[in-house]
Amino acid sequence: MKTLLWLGSFLLSTFAIAQDCDYTLSGYIIDLHDQSALNDATIIVVGLEKEVIPDSQGRYEITGLCANTYTLQVSHPACETQLIRVPVNQDTERTIYMEHHLESLGNVVVEAHAHQAKTQTASQTVVSHDILEANSAGSLADALRELSGVTSLNTGNTVAKPVIGGLHSSRVTLITDGTRLQDQEWGVEHAPNIDINAAGEVTVIKGASGLQYGGDAIGGTIVIEPEQIPVKDTVFGRTLITGATNGRGGSLSSSITKSYNSGWYGGVQVSLKRFGDFDSPDYILSNTALAAQNITARVGINRYSFGLEASYSRFHKEAGILRSSHLGGAEDLVVAINSQQPFIVAPFTYDLNPPKQDVTHQLAKLSGYYRFENLGKLSAQLDYQRNNRLEFDVRRDSDDTRPSIDLQLETYSLNTEFEFEADNSITAKVGIQARYQDHFPDPSTGVRRLIPDYTAEALGVFAIGSKTWEDWTLEGGIRYDYNRIVAEKFYQTSLWEERGYDQEFEDLIIADFGNQLLVKPDLQYHNFSATAGVAKSWDNGHRLSLNYALASRSPNVSELFSDGLHQSAARVEIGDLRFEQEQANKLSLEWQLTKDKWSFIVAPYASFIDNFILIEPTGIRQTIRGNFQVWEYRQTMARLLGVDLDAQFEFDTHWSIRNQFSLVKGKDIDRDNALINMPSANTRNAITYQLPKWHQLSVTLESNYVFRQNEFPDNNFEVFLPQTETTALVDVSTPPDAYHLLNFRSSMVFALSEKNLLTVGLMVNNLWNTRYREYLNRQRYFADDLGRNILLQLKINY
């Protein structure tokens, strides 16, 4: 072998005498998966005495080359060594991609969690792995609440959905493993059907700048990605067990993955959660038990030039709804809302009785990619989702076990995109996304259907890109979306005429049954979205970015067609066929300052949303199942102004502090009033002590202060009480008082063997068992929020 290398070197040097050898070969060494620079690589030109090490940006340069085809030996401590042939007949640029995942040092495995930025100029935050694991027994919304600018809209303690900058539901897009989650997110009490334990990394993009994921994410985008799998022969996994005192239950999550040097891999992850009734500081929250299960499996091959993956997941959740939120008459409603204690308090149980939710979500996906040398990567994905949602009401006939709502949504999606990779200073991506949905509400429930039969079609086309030179980055993108909804719905003739539909939509009627009309709306929307931004970095640690985003969102089926009792929301909801698209203009600024021991980020923003759709209480309605509030949708011009602050300081190797502050103000411009359900201002402060030499001890004490929401609309109304022939005020508007919670978190790591580690964590939420009610918890009218919760967590890595 040495003889051959010497001979090759002699021939190359001899050939160089007869020609000019002043060509340059240059480029970047890049992580194949997250596009980060690899600056610890080494490049050797086989046959020549040339060895090059890239700079801090991963850029290399080899000078003095002749016109020839060279073999480069590229190595990195955490990658498989590659031999690459590169023809050179002029000055040549060549970007080299390497598989960079796990670095083995004896029996210690160090995971590389390099993050790939989803946007270059908009505000985005990556949820740390510690936060995800600490909330293993909770939900995605529980984990995201620890980020500045992110809160949650709750229906009790078991149903929570993320709120980004005051916006939620259809205005927040959720991407899981490359698939846009389609789980009927329009409901305020429809929590994302995601198991947080299946997430390897979670990124929150604030605002509508993630155009590759959709143009309707006015609030933001949550990107959930599975754990990266190394291209090497290894087996790894973890088991996480959590026990909790509040709810007297816990969770179990376990995963195992096998991979090979050839690129083949396979893995499976399973989670189980079971809790009984939860407690407030003073009483049991009756009928709030929870049971959830999830299984995720995937198999595939991952190579530089191509890859293919098939995956399947099934998520099932059964959650009780506070029994006191479903009452029988106007008198009960007045008493419950004005009382300091729930109307019904029963002994603790693990039973799940009506009212409750039972939701199953299945997702099957086939995806692949092919990389064209020195050009880019073509990716395609086909996925199928099936969401079945059952909502059980408290029926007068106790023997009737049918759900009051039975909704089934099937979604078929096809996505293709091409990513340009030939120049490391330029990122560019174009794509086409198509989707078809079929929604079927089972009529055998014996209850008037809230959402009708419908089919929906969607087609999206986008192009995004960014250019970086020296310390500047420019970013831009454009997207077009076509949406069509074809529905068949029964309307009561009285409501049809009362809302004036008989004058505007007479052509939609396909059958007249006297007191009911069958109509068939065919609604089509054309939406345009765009983003543009610029960022500048300085050597002294300063970075400033400015981003503008235009987003357009079609009204969802709930906003258009709702007409009846939404059981698990415990209210009557009324939509409007006249609604037009929302159009949002958002301007955001982010300034970062990073030093050796401290960092500071301030991110103000302003959103102006035309045709903003909101829902608000307008009265009360007596039904055969009880007395329920009536909430109606309407459109207005909205303005949201906000700011998020993040700061962190390390005193030394042991002590550090962290501060977060968020404020958002929403205004109904048309009515010159505050918007309903805007998050309260809040600040979160934490002090952490770490002692790595003593089993990696970490102890954190956290303070979470939530201010009273002083800006809110007055939606109170009066009800007539037949028994006393009087009226009473129902206060559904006044927010609860401010509150302050202390939380405690600690962990230690123990070596079970040379390859296995045990992490023991102890956490206490609401340390002082404080009594409080959260403005964005929809059951604050009926009960206090959760009391003290002590959690013990065991994690084994193997």
Side-chain angles (χ1 to χ4, degrees):
M1 182 64 183
K2 292 182 179 179
T3 302
L4 291 175
L5 291 177
W6 179 87
L7 179 61
S9 177
F10 172 78
L11 292 175
L12 285 172
S13 60
T14 302
F15 182 68
I17 299 174
Q19 59 175 316
D20 294 331
C21 296
D22 56 359
Y23 296 139
T24 298
L25 172 62
S26 59
Y28 292 85
I29 308 295
I30 301 297
D31 187 326
L32 171 63
H33 295 283
D34 62 25
Q35 309 299 301
S36 62
L38 299 180
N39 55 6
D40 294 329
T42 301
I43 303 175
I44 297 175
V45 183
V46 177
L48 299 178
E49 294 183 358
K50 287 183 177 291
E51 180 176 313
V52 177
I53 297 176
D55 62 19
S56 60
Q57 302 299 316
R59 183 170 178 81
Y60 70 91
E61 186 175 282
I62 305 173
T63 59
L65 298 180
C66 309
N68 205 340
T69 297
Y70 295 91
T71 298
L72 306 182
Q73 177 181 300
V74 188
S75 59
H76 186 277
C79 306
E80 296 289 341
T81 299
Q82 297 184 34
L83 292 177
I84 300 174
R85 291 175 59 81
V86 183
V88 175
N89 50 32
Q90 59 181 345
D91 288 344
T92 303
E93 283 274 343
R94 174 65 181 268
T95 296
I96 300 172
Y97 294 89
M98 302 193 73
E99 291 278 2
H100 176 241
H101 286 287
L102 298 182
E103 178 181 352
S104 296
L105 301 175
N107 293 321
V108 180
V109 177
V110 181
E111 297 188 27
H113 291 289
H115 171 66
Q116 178 183 3
K118 307 298 187 295
T119 173
Q120 302 295 322
T121 61
S123 179
Q124 65 175 334
T125 306
V126 179
V127 184
S128 74
H129 211 255
D130 290 341
I131 291 178
L132 295 178
E133 291 185 343
N135 290 276
S136 174
S139 67
L140 174 66
D142 294 329
L144 297 184
R145 272 201 302 262
E146 300 199 27
L147 304 181
S148 63
V150 183
T151 53
S152 66
L153 180 65
N154 286 49
T155 300
N157 54 286
T158 58
V159 179
K161 59 192 317 176
V163 179
I164 303 177
L167 302 174
H168 56 83
S169 300
S170 295
R171 299 184 185 95
V172 173
T173 297
L174 203 153
I175 307 296
T176 172
D177 193 12
T179 300
R180 177 164 176 164
L181 191 66
Q182 299 290 336
D183 60 349
Q184 308 185 85
E185 76 286 347
W186 45 263
V188 293
E189 84 305 348
H190 295 186
N193 293 296
I194 289 292
D195 176 22
I196 192 174
N197 295 289
E201 182 175 89
V202 178
T203 304
V204 176
I205 303 173
K206 299 175 182 178
S209 296
L211 291 185
Q212 65 267 44
Y213 307 113
D216 56 350
I218 294 176
T221 303
I222 301 170
V223 183
I224 301 174
E225 297 169 303
E227 189 172 10
Q228 293 183 351
I229 298 178
V231 181
K232 63 183 302 181
D233 192 2
T234 184
V235 179
F236 62 92
R238 67 167 186 172
T239 295
L240 190 62
I241 303 172
T242 305
T245 59
N246 201 328
R248 308 180 198 181
S251 67
L252 167 67
S253 174
S254 188
S255 64
I256 188 167
T257 300
K258 170 62 179 174
S259 62
Y260 300 88
N261 289 326
S262 62
W264 284 98
Y265 63 87
V268 63
Q269 183 268 336
V270 178
S271 294
L272 302 172
K273 295 179 184 179
R274 189 69 171 99
F275 292 92
D277 291 336
F278 289 83
D279 298 324
S280 74
D282 299 320
Y283 45 78
I284 291 174
L285 301 169
S286 297
N287 200 56
T288 57
L290 168 70
Q293 310 88 38
N294 178 77
I295 182 170
T296 300
R298 56 176 174 158
V299 61
I301 183 172
N302 180 10
R303 293 182 178 174
Y304 172 75
S305 57
F306 71 93
L308 186 68
E309 179 179 280
S311 64
Y312 170 80
S313 67
R314 183 182 187 275
F315 177 88
H316 175 253
K317 177 181 176 182
E318 193 174 2
I321 305 296
L322 183 71
R323 180 63 182 86
S324 292
S325 64
H326 286 243
L327 305 170
E331 296 90 344
D332 291 346
L333 182 64
V334 171
V335 172
I337 289 181
N338 294 327
S339 174
Q340 295 301 310
Q341 185 165 315
F343 202 70
I344 299 173
V345 177
F348 173 87
T349 179
Y350 289 96
D351 295 340
L352 283 154
N353 298 313
K356 66 176 182 178
Q357 300 178 1
D358 190 329
V359 184
T360 302
H361 189 84
Q362 300 179 75
L363 191 160
K365 185 198 74 170
L366 180 64
S367 62
Y369 67 86
Y370 183 83
R371 180 170 277 103
F372 296 89
E373 189 99 13
N374 293 324
L375 182 59
K377 183 171 70 173
L378 177 66
S379 304
Q381 177 174 301
L382 177 66
D383 59 73
Y384 167 76
Q385 298 180 67
R386 181 173 182 174
N387 184 272
N388 184 223
R389 180 176 186 83
L390 307 176
E391 298 183 4
F392 294 83
D393 199 356
V394 179
R395 294 180 179 261
R396 291 177 179 270
D397 183 358
S398 60
D399 294 330
D400 191 345
T401 60
R402 293 177 298 170
S404 300
I405 292 180
D406 185 346
L407 306 177
Q408 181 168 291
L409 178 65
E410 293 185 290
T411 304
Y412 306 83
S413 300
L414 175 63
N415 302 326
T416 61
E417 60 184 39
F418 181 81
E419 184 175 4
F420 178 72
E421 296 179 337
D423 187 340
N424 190 67
S425 66
I426 296 175
T427 65
K429 184 183 292 186
V430 296
I432 301 176
Q433 300 166 348
R435 183 172 68 246
Y436 175 79
Q437 292 182 308
D438 186 2
H439 181 265
F440 176 70
D442 194 335
S444 65
T445 61
V447 176
R448 181 179 178 82
R449 291 183 286 183
L450 175 69
I451 301 297
D453 295 348
Y454 72 86
T455 59
E457 303 167 7
L459 178 66
V461 181
F462 72 89
I464 59 174
S466 67
K467 169 66 176 178
T468 300
W469 71 97
E470 295 181 353
D471 299 322
W472 288 89
T473 299
L474 287 179
E475 181 179 43
I478 189 169
R479 182 182 177 104
Y480 164 76
D481 286 284
Y482 167 77
N483 299 101
R484 182 188 183 193
I485 300 175
V486 181
E488 290 189 3
K489 175 174 173 58
F490 283 97
Y491 278 94
Q492 293 178 344
T493 304
S494 58
L495 178 64
W496 183 263
E497 295 175 349
E498 175 188 320
R499 301 186 72 84
Y501 292 162
D502 56 328
Q503 303 296 322
E504 298 184 53
F505 304 114
E506 184 179 0
D507 58 323
L508 300 183
I509 301 174
I510 60 176
D512 187 341
F513 299 95
N515 63 343
Q516 285 196 105
L517 300 172
L518 178 61
V519 302
K520 189 174 183 178
D522 186 346
L523 307 175
Q524 301 181 49
Y525 305 93
H526 301 272
N527 297 319
F528 293 91
S529 307
T531 184
V534 60
K536 163 69 173 174
S537 299
W538 288 268
D539 293 337
N540 58 3
H542 292 268
R543 186 179 189 273
L544 185 67
S545 61
L546 177 67
N547 183 269
Y548 164 76
L550 167 68
S552 299
R553 183 184 75 88
S554 302
N556 64 42
V557 292
S558 175
E559 295 160 344
L560 291 167
F561 304 122
S562 286
D563 174 22
L565 178 62
H566 193 173
Q567 179 275 327
S568 60
R571 67 192 189 190
V572 175
E573 297 179 358
I574 307 295
D576 197 323
L577 279 173
R578 303 181 184 90
F579 285 158
E580 300 177 356
Q581 301 105 305
E582 290 182 344
Q583 189 170 69
N585 292 273
K586 180 175 182 178
L587 191 65
S588 60
L589 181 71
E590 184 173 276
W591 173 61
Q592 301 182 30
L593 178 57
T594 304
K595 296 294 184 180
D596 292 337
K597 292 186 177 183
W598 62 282
S599 63
F600 180 77
I601 300 175
V602 56
Y605 58 89
S607 293
F608 302 88
I609 309 174
D610 194 18
N611 293 324
F612 182 77
I613 302 174
L614 58 86
I615 186 171
E616 60 189 1
T618 58
I620 198 166
R621 179 183 297 180
Q622 179 71 41
T623 74
I624 61 173
R625 284 175 286 163
N627 206 318
F628 295 93
Q629 299 177 41
V630 177
W631 289 60
E632 294 191 45
Y633 289 99
R634 66 176 176 90
Q635 286 192 302
T636 187
M637 177 68 185
R639 182 190 69 199
L640 285 82
L641 304 176
V643 62
D644 300 326
L645 301 176
D646 289 88
Q648 185 166 332
F649 179 74
E650 296 180 3
F651 293 97
D652 51 34
T653 58
H654 302 298
W655 292 95
S656 64
I657 58 174
R658 174 173 52 89
N659 169 261
Q660 296 173 335
F661 174 79
S662 297
L663 171 68
V664 59
K665 290 180 174 289
K667 185 172 184 178
D668 181 340
I669 301 297
D670 290 350
R671 296 191 177 182
D672 192 23
N673 201 0
L675 285 177
I676 192 172
N677 288 338
M678 285 292 105
S680 305
N682 66 86
T683 181
R684 195 180 288 263
N685 298 276
I687 182 168
T688 299
Y689 175 77
Q690 293 180 313
L691 188 59
K693 293 183 178 180
W694 196 52
H695 300 288
Q696 300 181 36
L697 173 67
S698 176
V699 178
T700 298
L701 183 63
E702 180 186 74
S703 163
N704 182 21
Y705 186 85
V706 178
F707 296 83
R708 184 181 186 273
Q709 177 58 273
N710 293 319
E711 298 181 3
F712 57 94
D714 184 0
N715 296 122
N716 297 337
F717 52 86
E718 291 186 340
V719 297
F720 177 72
L721 307 178
Q723 291 184 355
T724 60
E725 295 186 350
T726 60
T727 59
L729 180 70
V730 181
D731 186 354
V732 295
S733 301
T734 305
D737 294 332
Y739 62 88
H740 179 218
L741 303 179
L742 282 179
N743 304 314
F744 172 83
R745 181 181 300 167
S746 64
S747 65
M748 297 179 70
V749 179
F750 302 91
L752 298 180
S753 66
E754 293 182 351
K755 297 184 178 181
N756 302 119
L757 298 176
L758 169 66
T759 302
V760 179
L762 177 65
M763 294 163 284
V764 184
N765 297 327
N766 193 0
L767 187 64
W768 301 135
N769 206 26
T770 301
R771 184 188 302 110
Y772 72 100
R773 298 196 181 194
E774 164 57 42
Y775 178 56
L776 290 187
N777 190 333
R778 296 178 51 258
Q779 291 184 357
R780 65 179 173 86
Y781 305 117
F782 311 105
D784 292 334
D785 227 300
L786 292 184
R788 182 188 297 115
N789 190 16
I790 303 174
L791 301 99
L792 178 64
Q793 191 173 82
L794 305 176
K795 182 182 71 171
I796 302 176
N797 286 329
Y798 44 85

